């Protein structure tokens, strides 16, 4: 692998009160090492190792808001209650001591089952229309009351993130979980004001979540929102088929208070609208930035040969060139780049890339999903 000039990845970036030393973000990754929902010393040490090794911004694994069925795995951490929040307080203290910055990814899974455990959460399993996937009933459609309580639970988690000293927070609005179930017409069949034929209408619940979070954290605290076209229920699904539809989806969310759009793709080099700007055209984060003016994070198979869905099937991946990423960063297609699996197997990935030590980069080893390296 030839070496690439990676200096564009190591430029500082500032948005509101968040001051980052470089453009490398640790992608949010569920690790299920928090029994009873409490992140312990092993989880603290795991995040600290990434902070010590030049990751600019760490996003936590998805961590559940205070709703009975916000998580679908008993070992996923909570982001509410004394013991879990005390665990998270230790995490952010350790990350700060190591010179890092971090935000929790606050999460509600909607009606989606885990593919790794049969554990069933307490009722009610809640979602816009009681569907896990198109035509697949599970749980209950949310009432006005549960909608209001859920919005309040998001706002409470955001206030706790700020109170504990996290530098930002990310709302998980992607991958077919609760907020995405509202966006997606095939899982949102509501006939009240939270449903409808258009993406603007189906975005009303996520927009209200963002507004409540903004009201809870004040104007200067940066809010990141993670979005995806693809769903785990259907990798080919798309919420926006055209740039106009994408603008109709994203602009109300930015107006509601989102500062950074985290645009989840499986492969960052794939063009979002190749029919408009070609096979080397802007990716999702590129179009999101162009259409909204908001800062964006891209993601998807950075530095690795295979994609992350394959990882869940036990596939490992080898290091690959960063040249395409660097080209896109140099032309400011997006502002930040998130890295997932490369940072699961190697806490020192960012430091090695910065030092140009490509020979020391490791394979992503699927067996590392079973431990906190
Ligand atoms: C083990 C694992 C757990 C993940 N958990 C989450 C999650 O909790 N929240 C989320 O938004 N994405 C999650 N993802 C997706 C990653 O954030 C990322 O988008 C994906 O792995 C692609 O990046 P990569 O190719 O660099 O690994 C997960 C991915 C992996 C491999």
């Amino acid at each position: 692998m030839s070496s690439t000039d990676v200096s564009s990845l190591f430029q500082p970036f500032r948005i509101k009160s968040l001051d980052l030393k470089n453009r490398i973000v640790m992608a949010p990754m569920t690790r299920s090492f928090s029994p009873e929902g409490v992140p312990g010393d092993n989880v603290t040490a795991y995040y600290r190792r990434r902070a010590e090794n030049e990751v600019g911004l760490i996003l936590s694994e998805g961590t559940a808001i205070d709703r009975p069925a916000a998580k679908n795995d008993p070992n996923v951490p909570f982001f509410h209650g004394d013991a879990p929040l005390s665990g998270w307080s230790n995490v952010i203290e350790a990350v700060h001591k190591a010179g890092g910055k971090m935000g929790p990814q606050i999460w509600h899974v909607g009606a989606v089952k885990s593919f790794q455990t049969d554990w069933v959460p307490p009722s009610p399993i809640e979602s816009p229309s009681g569907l896990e996937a198109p035509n697949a009933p599970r749980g209950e459609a949310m009432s006005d009351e549960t909608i209001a309580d859920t919005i309040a639970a998001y706002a409470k988690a955001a206030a706790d993130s700020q109170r504990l000293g996290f530098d930002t927070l990310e709302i998980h609005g992607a991958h077919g979980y609760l907020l995405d179930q509202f966006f997606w017409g095939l899982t949102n069949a509501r006939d009240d004001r939270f449903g409808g034929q258009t993406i603007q209408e189906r975005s009303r619940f996520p927009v209200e979540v963002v507004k409540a979070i903004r009201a809870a954290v004040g104007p200067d605290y940066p809010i990141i929102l993670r979005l995806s076209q693809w769903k785990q229920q259907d990798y080919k699904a798309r919420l926006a088929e055209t740039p106009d539809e994408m603008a109709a989806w994203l602009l109300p969310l930015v107006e509601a208070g989102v500062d950074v759009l985290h645009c989840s793709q499986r492969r960052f080099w794939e063009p979002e609208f190749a029919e408009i700007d070609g096979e080397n055209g802007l990716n999702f984060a590129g179009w999101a930035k162009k259409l909204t003016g908001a800062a964006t994070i891209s993601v998807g198979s950075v530095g690795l040969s295979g994609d992350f869905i394959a990882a869940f099937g036990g596939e490992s991946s080898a290091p690959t060139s960063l040249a395409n990423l660097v080209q896109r960063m140099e032309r400011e297609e997006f502002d930040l780049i998130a890295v997932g699996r490369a940072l699961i197997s190697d806490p020192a990935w960012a430091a090695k890339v910065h030092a140009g030590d490509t020979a020391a980069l490791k394979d992503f080893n699927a067996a590392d999903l079973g431990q906190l390296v």
Side-chain angles (χ1 to χ4, degrees):
M1 204 178 13
S2 63
S3 68
T4 304
D5 175 0
V6 294
S7 51
S8 60
L9 304 179
F10 291 89
Q11 300 303 313
F13 182 74
R14 188 178 174 96
I15 184 153
K16 293 192 169 170
S17 56
L18 181 64
D19 223 340
L20 301 178
K21 63 182 165 220
N22 65 43
R23 306 304 179 97
I24 311 280
V25 177
M26 179 174 176
M29 284 179 291
T30 291
R31 301 306 313 273
S32 305
F33 282 95
S34 300
E36 313 286 314
V38 180
D41 292 347
N42 54 342
V43 174
T44 298
Y46 162 78
Y47 288 117
R48 179 175 51 222
R49 285 192 285 278
R50 276 76 188 162
E52 284 166 349
N53 282 284
E54 296 193 40
V55 172
L57 173 64
I58 296 170
L59 294 172
S60 81
E61 60 205 288
T63 173
I65 64 166
D66 190 4
R67 293 294 301 158
K71 68 177 192 173
N72 59 11
D73 172 333
N75 297 314
V76 158
F78 288 124
F79 205 76
H80 60 89
D82 290 346
L85 290 180
S86 153
W88 283 118
S89 174
N90 294 336
V91 170
I92 188 57
E93 196 181 318
V95 164
H96 281 163
K97 269 200 190 127
K101 300 281 162 96
M102 183 166 184
Q105 187 192 49
I106 58 174
W107 192 21
H108 187 314
V109 298
V112 177
K113 275 200 277 295
S114 166
F115 59 91
Q116 283 166 325
T117 160
D118 292 329
W119 182 76
V120 179
S123 293
I125 290 172
E126 57 197 4
S127 65
S129 301
L131 295 171
E132 178 176 21
N135 307 313
R138 184 164 190 257
E140 295 168 22
M142 290 164 81
S143 64
D144 283 351
E145 190 185 350
T146 53
I147 283 187
D149 290 350
T150 303
I151 292 171
Y154 275 107
K156 172 76 172 31
D160 282 334
S161 165
Q162 190 177 39
R163 182 175 58 80
L164 294 182
F166 283 96
D167 306 281
T168 181
L169 68 89
E170 175 166 285
I171 308 164
H172 195 342
H175 305 170
Y177 294 113
L178 183 66
L179 297 187
D180 205 15
Q181 296 200 309
F182 274 87
F183 291 133
W184 197 21
L186 296 180
T187 44
N188 181 348
R190 299 181 73 93
D191 54 15
D192 64 0
R193 66 190 199 89
F194 296 109
Q197 291 305 306
T198 66
I199 185 78
Q200 290 102 309
E201 292 167 306
R202 296 192 303 271
S203 295
R204 283 196 188 114
F205 174 73
V207 162
E208 291 205 5
V209 167
V210 172
K211 283 186 179 161
I213 287 179
R214 175 54 75 207
V217 298
D220 289 335
Y221 196 64
I223 298 175
I224 306 172
L225 174 63
R226 198 167 217 222
L227 299 170
S228 62
Q229 296 259 36
W230 66 268
K231 326 277 157 232
Q232 63 196 291
Q233 298 92 330
D234 178 0
Y235 295 130
K236 294 206 157 46
R238 294 187 92 190
L239 297 174
E241 296 282 359
T242 63
D244 281 351
E245 271 177 21
M246 186 173 279
W249 175 30
L250 303 183
L251 281 170
L253 295 161
V254 170
E255 280 158 17
V258 170
D259 300 297
V260 183
L261 293 164
H262 187 173
C263 301
S264 171
Q265 283 184 266
R266 291 166 64 184
R267 303 168 202 89
F268 74 86
W269 58 88
E270 289 183 348
E272 192 60 30
F273 299 114
E275 63 284 10
I276 296 174
D277 54 4
E279 286 306 321
N280 195 30
L282 298 178
N283 70 11
F284 179 18
W287 273 99
K289 184 173 160 90
K290 176 177 158 139
L291 292 168
T292 66
T296 61
I297 308 176
S298 188
V299 65
S301 304
V302 169
L304 289 176
S305 56
D307 92 359
F308 88 99
I309 301 299
F312 293 122
E315 254 182 56
S316 297
S317 285
T320 56
S321 162
L322 295 174
N324 186 320
L325 172 66
V326 163
Q327 259 175 25
R328 287 170 190 264
M329 192 59 89
E330 283 175 353
R331 68 187 193 211
E332 299 181 6
E333 181 172 335
F334 39 78
D335 301 284
L336 300 165
I337 185 72
V339 177
R341 289 161 302 141
L343 277 167
I344 281 196
S345 284
D346 190 358
W349 185 87
K352 289 175 183 174
V353 167
H354 198 186
D357 194 1
T358 46
L361 293 175
K362 294 183 182 170
D363 288 1
F364 161 70
N365 181 351
D368 293 336
L369 293 174
Q371 53 176 346
L372 292 176
V373 176

